[in-house]
């Protein structure tokens, strides 16, 4: 299959090629991976780089990038090394590949070992790609701290994400530090926070100072390209439906009492919330229908959300993709719906054929790199998550290119409880993230019709320069 860049991919390619330090804050489904691979092949063909190190979430590292390379004729000439394997590290040692892929969880080890970035002499690559850059949003992350001393050994830096601020503008500085070394938002997180944010008297909650938001956006605009899906993709509409799962008065009073007294007895079991964070967690379990006690035993409270889900399943009579939050929810869902199946990658072919009436999973497991749009059009949030990143990524499994029908996102919410608070928090985070992308789109002026440096057909005939006795694809 030939790679013919779509309009939005031309814009991305142009931005990457023109900027040695670049970030793409681009909505999911716009083709970031293919545009990045085309940019890498162009840079290699121009002798500007030797190859690229790609850092990605595990499933994306294992499935998405190798699949993209094999999908298009223009990319098949590149050798790939899986740095989680001995043969991948061997290829790294000899410089025998063009793309070296590693997941975030292995990054700290790779940065500190002599077989990885701690090797003497030049690296076999001079470009680093951070796929899902928002995984590096924590300024105190050990794996990111391990990488920073090696940052200057790369000539080119590229970050890809559709969710740059899943929670707060505070998360931008660690990400931008990886891309531009601190030129835009500084190299020190504490100084960045003091400069742009005010805290409460306890130092726990930080809010943007007047005009700080605009100043942050102006500083990162030269490095960041933002593209929104609605500008380029013809995806059927998505409707969000909040399903009212009201507590009967006695249960609501019990909820309020627990919220106030931090203590509740269920039979012989005693439930205690020691801290504010623990209380929120327990209240969320309460609305879902069961709580864990101190010994991790499950105390069942109600099945109101189970009944609401059964009604949705009967009404729509279509495959449902269900997000749960706690393990006890998984067990209760499988018990209540004998035909439901817990998510596994081996189940995906059956799901996409419409043969699985209900697939359940945690949003952290069903996210980056999965195409599920062929198997259904209904998403159920049994219990909402506080993470806007997990929320967006889970929804994007069905709301993406290739979806033929209008998608419905059903959210089971108990009114006047923590469920309402989480729904409001998700709304505010979504508005902040959308606002950032719109603002950057307005600040930065770029040429949407810019041509790429090479005709894709010219790259088909490039041959790998790897050592012959090393395999092109390392074995696991």
């Amino acid at each position: 299959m030939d790679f013919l860049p779509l309009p939005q991919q031309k814009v991305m390619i142009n931005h990457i090629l023109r900027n040695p330090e670049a970030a793409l804050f681009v909505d999911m489904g716009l083709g970031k991976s293919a545009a990045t691979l085309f940019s890498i092949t162009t840079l290699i063909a121009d002798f500007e780089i030797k190859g690229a190190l790609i850092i990605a979430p595990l499933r994306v590292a294992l499935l998405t990038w190798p699949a993209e390379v094999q999908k298009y004729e223009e990319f098949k000439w590149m050798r790939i090394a899986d740095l989680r394997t001995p043969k991948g590290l061997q290829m790294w040692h000899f410089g025998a590949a063009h793309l070296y892929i590693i997941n975030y969880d292995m990054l700290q080890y790779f940065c500190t070992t002599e077989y990885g970035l701690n090797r003497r002499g030049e690296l076999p690559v001079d470009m680093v790609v951070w796929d899902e850059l928002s995984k590096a949003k924590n300024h105190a992350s050990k794996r990111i701290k391990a990488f920073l001393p090696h940052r200057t050994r790369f000539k080119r830096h590229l970050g890809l994400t559709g969710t740059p601020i899943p929670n707060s503008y505070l998360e931008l500085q660690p990400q931008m530090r990886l891309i531009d070394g601190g030129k835009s938002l500084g190299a020190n997180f504490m100084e960045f926070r003091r400069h742009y944010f005010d805290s409460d008297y306890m130092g726990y909650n930080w809010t943007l100072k007047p005009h700080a938001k605009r100043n942050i956006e102006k500083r990162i605009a030269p490095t960041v390209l933002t593209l929104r899906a609605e500008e380029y993709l013809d995806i059927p509409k998505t409707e969000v439906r909040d399903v009212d799962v009201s507590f009967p008065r006695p249960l609501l009073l019990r909820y309020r009492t627990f919220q106030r007294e931090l203590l509740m007895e269920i039979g012989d079991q005693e439930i205690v919330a020691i801290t504010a964070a623990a209380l929120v967690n327990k209240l969320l379990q309460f609305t879902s229908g069961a709580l864990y006690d101190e010994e991790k035993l499950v105390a069942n409270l109600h099945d109101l959300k189970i009944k609401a889900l059964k009604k949705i399943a009967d009404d729509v009579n279509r495959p449902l993709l269900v997000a749960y939050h706690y393990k006890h929810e998984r067990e209760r869902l499988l018990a209540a719906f004998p035909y439901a199946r817990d998510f596994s990658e081996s189940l995906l072919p059956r799901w996409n054929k419409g043969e699985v009436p209900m697939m359940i999973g945690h949003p952290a497991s069903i996210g980056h790199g999965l195409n599920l749009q062929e198997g259904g059009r209904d998403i159920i949030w049994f219990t909402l998550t506080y993470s806007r990143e997990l929320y967006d990524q889970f929804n994007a499994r069905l709301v993406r290119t290739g979806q033929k029908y209008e998608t419905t996102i059903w959210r089971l919410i108990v009114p006047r409880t923590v469920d309402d608070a989480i729904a409001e928090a998700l709304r505010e985070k979504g508005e902040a993230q959308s606002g950032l992308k719109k603002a950057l789109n307005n600040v930065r002026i770029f040429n949407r019709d810019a041509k790429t440096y090479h005709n894709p057909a010219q790259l088909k005939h490039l041959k790998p320069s790897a050592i012959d006795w090393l395999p092109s694809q390392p074995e696991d």
Side-chain angles (χ1 to χ4, degrees):
M1 180 177 178
D2 293 338
F3 175 66
L4 301 175
L6 297 171
Q8 71 271 17
Q9 290 176 316
K10 292 181 180 180
V11 178
M12 287 186 262
I13 292 167
N14 187 63
H15 182 72
I16 295 170
L17 296 180
R18 287 184 174 181
N19 297 279
E21 296 170 344
L24 304 182
F25 291 178
V26 175
D27 285 352
M28 291 156 280
L30 288 177
K32 295 188 293 290
S33 300
T36 299
L37 286 172
F38 182 78
S39 301
I40 291 172
T41 58
T42 302
L43 292 167
I44 293 175
D46 283 345
F47 300 101
E48 292 192 29
I49 64 171
K50 296 174 285 187
L53 171 65
I54 298 175
I55 303 166
L58 181 59
R59 183 182 290 110
V60 178
L62 292 180
L63 302 177
T64 302
W65 287 97
E68 287 290 303
V69 170
Q70 292 302 313
K71 183 177 180 180
Y72 298 106
E73 294 297 324
E74 289 78 11
F75 308 151
K76 288 182 178 179
W77 61 273
M78 289 191 291
R79 287 178 179 258
I80 308 174
D82 181 356
L83 293 175
R84 301 175 309 113
T85 66
K87 286 199 173 179
L89 289 174
Q90 188 182 38
M91 295 175 78
W92 171 267
H93 177 75
F94 287 103
H98 302 94
L99 300 177
Y100 300 87
I101 303 178
I102 192 167
N103 60 303
Y104 278 89
D105 292 336
M106 288 289 293
L107 182 59
Q108 184 179 358
Y109 169 78
F110 183 69
C111 290
T112 55
T113 177
E114 61 181 324
Y115 301 105
L117 287 181
N118 242 7
R119 62 177 284 172
R120 295 180 180 178
E122 291 186 5
L123 298 179
V125 297
D126 27 33
M127 179 176 182
V128 59
V129 177
W130 297 88
D131 194 5
E132 298 304 338
L133 178 63
S134 56
K135 291 286 185 183
K137 64 181 180 290
N138 182 2
H139 74 280
S141 169
K142 292 181 179 179
R143 57 194 178 195
I144 302 305
K145 286 183 176 180
F147 175 84
L148 285 173
H150 303 282
R151 186 194 168 278
T152 55
R153 303 178 73 183
F154 297 87
K155 292 193 301 185
R156 283 184 167 266
H157 304 264
L158 174 63
L160 314 173
T161 183
T163 54
I165 50 169
N167 298 298
S168 164
Y169 271 71
L170 284 168
E171 296 166 335
L172 276 176
Q173 189 273 344
Q175 298 177 65
M176 295 306 300
R177 178 180 56 180
L178 285 174
I179 301 306
D180 63 18
K183 295 175 185 175
S184 59
L185 301 180
N188 186 287
F189 177 78
M190 300 303 176
E191 290 182 5
F192 163 77
R193 190 171 63 179
R194 282 194 296 269
H195 185 73
Y196 290 106
F197 295 81
D198 291 322
S199 71
D200 59 11
Y201 74 100
M202 293 291 288
Y204 291 135
N205 297 315
W206 294 82
T207 56
L208 285 161
K209 292 180 178 180
H211 309 298
K213 180 179 173 183
R214 181 185 299 177
N215 291 336
I216 290 173
E217 291 163 353
K218 284 183 177 180
R219 291 191 68 84
I220 68 174
T223 305
V224 176
L225 172 69
T226 60
L227 300 176
R228 291 179 291 154
E230 58 263 31
E231 295 177 323
Y232 294 97
L233 301 182
D234 184 19
I235 299 176
K237 293 181 180 179
T238 300
E239 181 183 4
V240 178
R241 292 188 185 179
D242 287 345
V243 180
D244 189 329
V245 186
S246 295
F247 279 165
R249 182 171 177 77
L251 192 58
L252 183 59
L253 289 175
R254 198 176 186 187
Y255 175 92
R256 294 278 181 245
T257 302
F258 180 47
Q259 185 178 26
R260 182 176 61 255
E261 298 180 359
L262 313 182
L263 174 67
M264 181 172 59
E265 292 184 358
I266 305 175
D268 296 333
Q269 295 169 282
E270 189 176 79
I271 312 296
V272 181
I274 300 174
T275 65
L279 176 61
V280 171
N281 191 40
K282 293 297 184 186
L283 293 176
L284 195 58
Q285 292 176 39
F286 194 115
T287 62
S288 79
L291 293 110
Y292 289 113
D293 66 9
E294 300 304 311
E295 297 179 357
K296 297 297 181 182
L297 297 176
V298 178
N300 291 310
L301 287 169
H302 62 84
D303 60 355
L304 295 175
K305 286 194 175 182
I306 293 288
K307 290 179 179 178
L309 180 52
K310 284 183 177 179
K311 186 177 187 309
I312 294 172
D314 291 340
D315 289 346
V316 303
N317 195 27
R318 294 190 295 263
L320 301 177
L321 180 62
V322 181
Y324 64 80
H325 192 81
Y326 299 102
K327 287 184 179 180
H328 67 65
E329 293 176 344
R330 171 186 174 275
E331 296 164 359
R332 291 162 52 221
L333 285 167
L334 292 175
F337 301 92
Y339 55 82
R341 295 292 178 267
D342 199 13
F343 165 76
S344 68
E345 291 183 2
S346 61
L347 193 65
L348 297 186
R350 289 185 55 207
W351 165 264
N352 280 323
K353 291 178 183 178
E355 298 174 355
V356 182
M358 180 183 294
M359 185 164 68
I360 68 174
H362 193 282
S365 298
I366 305 180
H368 308 287
L370 292 177
N371 293 303
L372 308 179
Q373 67 273 21
E374 295 180 12
R377 50 175 159 154
D378 293 277
I379 294 171
I380 311 289
W381 283 92
F382 193 82
T383 298
L384 285 172
T385 173
Y386 264 113
S387 170
R388 184 73 203 197
E389 181 178 11
L390 291 180
Y391 182 77
D392 287 342
Q393 288 287 350
F394 190 89
N395 292 338
R397 297 317 100 206
L398 300 189
V399 186
R400 61 192 301 110
T401 305
Q403 177 59 259
K404 299 177 182 178
Y405 306 99
E406 291 188 7
T407 308
T408 304
I409 299 172
W410 308 79
R411 308 193 305 183
L412 308 185
I413 293 179
V414 181
R416 296 182 291 169
T417 68
V418 67
D419 285 0
D420 274 339
I422 293 178
E424 177 63 16
L426 287 173
R427 183 191 65 78
E428 291 177 354
K429 292 174 183 178
E431 288 181 353
Q433 192 149 251
S434 178
L436 170 67
K437 291 180 180 179
K438 288 179 182 178
L440 289 172
N441 210 29
N442 292 334
V443 170
R444 181 175 175 81
I445 301 174
F446 55 84
N447 181 6
R448 291 177 179 268
D449 299 318
K451 295 182 179 179
T452 55
Y453 286 7
H454 287 277
N455 184 321
Q458 295 175 345
L459 300 174
K460 286 184 183 179
H461 309 295
L462 293 176
K463 301 297 181 183
S465 58
I467 299 173
D468 291 338
W469 57 268
L470 284 173
S472 59
Q473 298 292 336
E475 301 173 2
D476 288 334

